[in-house]
Amino acid sequence: MNKQYSDNELLEALQNWQKSISNKIEKDKIKRNINSSKQIKIFLKSIKKELTKQKKNSQNDWNIIWRKTVGEEIYNNTRVKRWHNGFLEIQVKNPVLRTELDVFYKETLISSLKEIITDKKILRGIKFISN
C-alpha cells in the first residue's frame, strides 16, 4: 500500500511545505511588528501624558512663586502664561500695568524670584505681555 512518489512530486511537496513555512514566518513577523507598534504607541502615549502632567505641575509651581513675589493685587491682574527658554512670560490685563511692571519693577521682580527659586540659572528674565 505504500505509494511511490516521483522525484518531481516529492520536490513539489517540499517546495509547498517551504512556502507554507515561509508564509507562517512572515505572518508571525507581521504580528510581532504590529504588537511592537502597539506597544510603542502605548509607551509614547504614557510619556506624553506624563510630560503634560509635569508641565501642568510646573505651571502651578510658577503661579505659586509669582503670587508670593508680587502679592494678591498684582497677581489678580496678571497670569503666568508660560516659562520658556529661561523667560517667565506674564500676561497682564492692563497695558498701563504692563508698562509699569516692565519699566519700573522688572529687575526687582527678577531678583525676588531668584531668591525664591533654588536653581538661579533657570530664570533668565521676565517678559510682560498685554492681552
Side-chain angles (χ1 to χ4, degrees):
M1 291 250 176
N2 284 345
K3 182 178 177 192
Q4 293 291 322
Y5 293 99
S6 70
D7 288 344
N8 285 339
E9 289 174 322
L10 289 173
L11 183 59
E12 187 177 324
L14 180 61
Q15 288 171 342
N16 288 337
W17 179 77
Q18 285 176 332
K19 282 180 188 176
S20 71
I21 293 294
S22 294
N23 287 340
K24 183 175 181 347
I25 290 171
E26 286 303 312
K27 285 178 185 177
D28 287 347
K29 282 182 184 178
I30 290 169
K31 284 181 185 176
R32 280 196 303 269
N33 287 341
I34 289 171
N35 288 338
S36 294
S37 295
K38 285 179 183 177
Q39 289 173 345
I40 290 170
K41 284 179 185 178
I42 291 168
F43 176 70
L44 290 175
K45 201 178 269 189
S46 69
I47 288 175
K48 184 177 179 183
K49 186 176 180 179
E50 185 61 32
L51 288 174
T52 302
K53 183 178 170 183
Q54 286 179 5
K55 187 175 180 181
K56 285 180 183 176
N57 288 342
S58 174
Q59 184 78 11
N60 289 338
D61 292 346
W62 279 114
N63 276 314
I64 292 167
I65 292 167
W66 180 246
R67 178 183 240 156
K68 281 182 183 179
T69 304
V70 297
E72 289 299 314
E73 187 177 342
I74 291 175
Y75 179 80
N76 290 333
N77 289 293
T78 59
R79 91 175 168 88
V80 175
K81 186 170 183 182
R82 68 180 183 158
W83 177 83
H84 183 68
N85 289 335
F87 287 89
L88 189 60
E89 292 183 7
I90 306 294
Q91 192 163 8
V92 185
K93 291 180 181 177
N94 179 325
V96 175
L97 178 59
R98 187 201 69 75
T99 302
E100 186 178 338
L101 290 171
D102 196 29
V103 173
F104 299 111
Y105 297 104
K106 183 186 237 177
E107 295 307 317
T108 304
L109 288 170
I110 292 170
S111 295
S112 297
L113 287 168
K114 284 187 175 185
E115 286 178 18
I116 295 172
I117 59 177
T118 54
D119 185 0
K120 310 296 185 230
K121 295 177 186 175
I122 198 169
L123 183 68
R124 293 175 41 207
I126 303 174
K127 293 181 182 179
F128 294 102
I129 304 164
S130 294
N131 280 346

